[in-house]
Amino acid sequence: MKTIIAYLQPKKKVILLGLFIKFAGTVAELLLPWILAVILNQYAPAKNWEMTIRWGIVMLLCATFALIANVTANRMATRTSRDITYRIRGDLFAKVMNLSCTRADAFTIPTLISRLTADTYHVHQLIDRMQRIGVRAPIMLIGGIIVTLLIEPVLSLVLLAVLPLLAFIVLRVSAGGTKLYEKTQKSLDHLVRRVQESMAGIRVIQALSKSEYEKERFDQANSEVVQLERKATLLMNVTGPALHFLLNGALTMVVVVGAYRVNRGLTQTGTIIAFLSYCTLILLALMAVSRMFMMYSKGAASANRIAEVLETPTEKMPENSAAGQEENHISFENVSFSYDKVIENISNLSFQLKKGQVLGIIGPIGSGKSTILQLLLRFYQPDQGTIRINGKELAAFSESELYCKFGVVFQNDFLYAHTIENNISLGRQLTETQLQKAIQTAQASFIYEKEGGLEYEIASKGQDISGGQKQRLLLARALAAQPEILLLDDSSSALDYKTDGQLRQTLKQNFAGITKIIIAQRISAIRDADQIIVLEEGKVIGQGSHQELLKDCQYYREIAQVQMGEGMSDE
């Protein structure tokens, strides 16, 4: 909660003003039963209508002031909670965007989505309701008890006898509720992951007639959330009936003892009526306190989950020397890496590329090809070895300095539900010349066949265009800012051979000076590379030119024979 409390500091004056207004309005409400007792005990029996009317007007003014004060304070609370939640959500999103891949993997994407949505909503409710109820309910409770002690001490003892038991129930239930709501939020993360997976693969699920299977998986996750929510709600709902039972029992005793005291002439009817009114206010205040603890249980659990992300330390980069004089543009020196720190995904990898050279990477699925790109982009830190760009260790670059060097197309890249131009520029200030050059190089002339051309709005994830068109848009995006290094991860797999050949030809012509690393399953996409690496289970099993690998690497030669009919004649 400390992290969330820090967000309240800038609004401290507004919050205090709102609490003061709420306090004043609550005090005015507390005066109403007391004024009623004065009228009934002193002026109504004496038929003093002038004083009765005057006190009635005072009572009306107090009620009006209480109404205005409470409405004003509630509106201030709404604005304050809205602004604070806006900042929390903004900072949380910025933090998530800057999390390293290692940190993001540890949290998982579904739980980060849940924290950005459901948890921020619960914190918003906590901040809002605490300002509304957090002052009014305690003041109404404490103030009501004090006034009842002043006007009828004997009857107050009956009421006070049950308060310790009520407090014990509320505190115990709230403590258990917080733990249950934390478990519920974790279960909700699991449900979000299920939904995310099902939505991402909905076409495959329908094509394979697995809708019922997915419904069963969803029902399991949904049932888990419902059960935990049910347990938490049932526990928290214990307070309501318990409060009603104990307070109604106390009120019954008050009525019996009050009637006895009135008959004995020890108190007056107006005092009993006022006392019962205060008892009702105390009951409502206790119910509000009960709801407040329920909201606190949810809000505190969510606040802790949000703080966990916000307080995640930034991964420190190792100490590095300044850039050295090196002719290589990119170099990997004995690099090893493991995601789980048990099985190595990349083992002792070394290669060097001069500026403008092309590196091709090929290998079976799961061999570590994409991991090389993620290490070069510094999404993950290598466990051993060194990566350099222009002789400077990768860790020595600032984020802005590093990422402006790259143009990237990943296997499962994204497209916004926006215009084609916005999907290519991605918020970068690109010139018309840069856009046209990138589109022409990426063989994406189909854009101009769409209604509106660059202004044509595509669906989310590019669902209304073909796989090949999507890949060409992504290539245009990667090339548009004229990067120093181009990383292509199986980015032409959906292209036909003619378009693929034209793409490679225009890349050579228009972007000859940039260094390229191309991951491919087709040998035709990398056969002209200056250097080709063949990976298997994270280990290099072949390294050299196309012709060299045909002679020396059996795996590469077998692929070439299957795809292109090459290699077997050399044996």
Side-chain angles (χ1 to χ4, degrees), residues 415-486:
L415 290 169
Y416 289 114
H418 213 311
T419 64
I420 289 177
E421 182 176 0
N422 275 286
N423 271 285
I424 294 175
S425 63
L426 209 62
R428 299 169 293 182
Q429 301 301 315
L430 302 177
T431 64
E432 183 68 21
T433 302
Q434 287 176 307
L435 282 172
Q436 295 302 328
K437 182 179 179 181
I439 291 169
Q440 185 263 330
T441 304
Q443 308 299 305
S445 57
F446 72 89
I447 291 171
Y448 302 108
E449 299 172 6
K450 301 287 185 181
E451 185 179 352
L454 285 169
E455 295 303 313
Y456 177 79
E457 292 203 8
I458 59 176
S460 177
K461 299 181 181 180
Q463 292 179 349
D464 57 345
I465 58 178
S466 70
Q469 290 174 332
K470 180 179 177 180
Q471 283 191 336
R472 282 178 277 172
L473 279 184
L474 295 170
L475 281 164
R477 176 197 290 173
L479 294 168
Q482 298 180 327
E484 183 180 320
I485 302 169
L486 182 64

Side-chain angles (χ1 to χ4, degrees), residues 36 44 63 88 98 126 144 147 162 176 221 245 247 264 271 348 382 412 419 430 436 463 472-473 525 558:
L36 179 62
I88 292 173
N98 287 301
L126 174 65
V147 176
V162 300
F245 175 76
L247 284 173
R264 292 281 182 160
T271 301
N348 200 33
N412 300 310
T419 64
L430 302 177
Q436 295 302 328
Q463 292 179 349
R472 282 178 277 172
L473 279 184
E558 290 174 353

Side-chain angles (χ1 to χ4, degrees), residues 40-88:
L40 293 176
N41 289 337
Q42 296 182 25
Y43 303 117
K47 298 183 180 181
N48 188 341
W49 305 121
E50 181 181 352
M51 292 302 296
T52 299
I53 292 171
R54 286 184 181 181
W55 280 100
I57 293 172
V58 172
M59 193 174 181
L60 180 62
L61 291 174
C62 285
T64 304
F65 176 77
L67 174 64
I68 294 172
N70 283 320
V71 169
T72 302
N74 288 346
R75 289 175 65 88
M76 292 176 69
T78 300
R79 286 195 297 268
T80 302
S81 58
R82 177 198 63 200
D83 294 343
I84 291 172
T85 307
Y86 175 83
R87 287 182 55 226
I88 292 173

Side-chain angles (χ1 to χ4, degrees), residues 500-513:
D500 189 19
Q502 291 172 340
L503 170 65
R504 284 185 276 115
Q505 187 62 33
T506 52
L507 266 176
K508 285 182 181 178
Q509 293 174 355
N510 298 340
F511 293 88

